[in-house]
Amino acid sequence: MLDTIGERIKDRRQALGYTLEELAGKVGVGTSTVRKWEIGYIKDMRSDKIQKVAEALEVTPAYIMGWEEGQSVNVEQVQTNNGLIGQANAPVHINNESRPVHLSKEETELLRIYSELNVRDRMKLLTFAMDLEAKEQES
């Protein structure tokens, strides 16, 4: 597995045959920004840029971040309320554990929704989820 975000971006960009300029154009940043990502000069990418890079490179944001080794299912294709509630469908590695966790349709749908939100709404969703978790732990 490639160790850094920059290595994953560069490896995938080259695998697709994109130049620095082409990827920069697809993401909406300057060529120097892509170069800085790849060499590790910029380590903390904004979530909206991670999403755009992942889309341009045809991988998941989790792959870019190093949370999974390979590419996973396209979460936009996941449907809910189709009689398959709770059925696992996509392996995800959490906290670098060697065994993948299989996400249910609902969990995958939550990730899809989260990825479409702006930063402010993502924080609202995370805060709400943490509040629910705290209430669950209290009972």
Side-chain angles (χ1 to χ4, degrees), residues 64-83:
I64 295 295
M65 297 304 296
W67 299 334
E68 64 180 42
E69 291 185 31
Q71 301 168 27
S72 68
V73 297
N74 181 352
V75 293
E76 277 92 11
Q77 296 173 349
V78 174
Q79 302 292 320
T80 57
N81 298 326
N82 59 3

Side-chain angles (χ1 to χ4, degrees), residues 15 39 41 46 51 72 85 99 106 109 112:
I39 65 171
Y41 185 76
R46 292 184 0 209
Q51 180 69 35
S72 68
I85 301 298
R99 291 188 339 208
E106 297 91 343
E109 181 69 3
R112 184 196 62 77

Side-chain angles (χ1 to χ4, degrees), residues 2-116:
L2 299 169
D3 291 331
T4 68
I5 292 170
E7 288 173 340
R8 285 184 290 280
I9 291 171
K10 183 176 183 178
D11 182 69
R12 186 66 181 149
R13 175 181 62 79
Q14 290 176 337
L16 293 171
Y18 294 155
T19 64
L20 287 168
E21 294 80 14
E22 288 170 324
L23 180 57
K26 290 176 180 289
V27 177
V29 297
T31 303
S32 64
T33 299
V34 175
R35 185 177 300 111
K36 289 174 184 177
W37 288 336
E38 289 186 356
I39 65 171
Y41 185 76
I42 298 176
K43 295 180 194 238
D44 297 321
M45 295 175 63
R46 292 184 0 209
S47 60
D48 62 322
K49 296 303 179 199
I50 294 167
Q51 180 69 35
K52 288 183 179 183
V53 167
E55 289 172 6
L57 296 177
E58 302 171 10
V59 295
T60 64
Y63 174 78
I64 295 295
M65 297 304 296
W67 299 334
E68 64 180 42
E69 291 185 31
Q71 301 168 27
S72 68
V73 297
N74 181 352
V75 293
E76 277 92 11
Q77 296 173 349
V78 174
Q79 302 292 320
T80 57
N81 298 326
N82 59 3
L84 300 174
I85 301 298
Q87 180 178 356
N89 63 359
V92 176
H93 295 267
I94 299 175
N95 296 332
N96 295 321
E97 293 183 17
S98 59
R99 291 188 339 208
V101 174
H102 291 276
L103 299 180
S104 69
K105 295 280 186 177
E106 297 91 343
E107 291 165 326
T108 306
E109 181 69 3
L110 281 170
L111 290 173
R112 184 196 62 77
I113 291 167
Y114 178 86
S115 71
E116 292 181 4

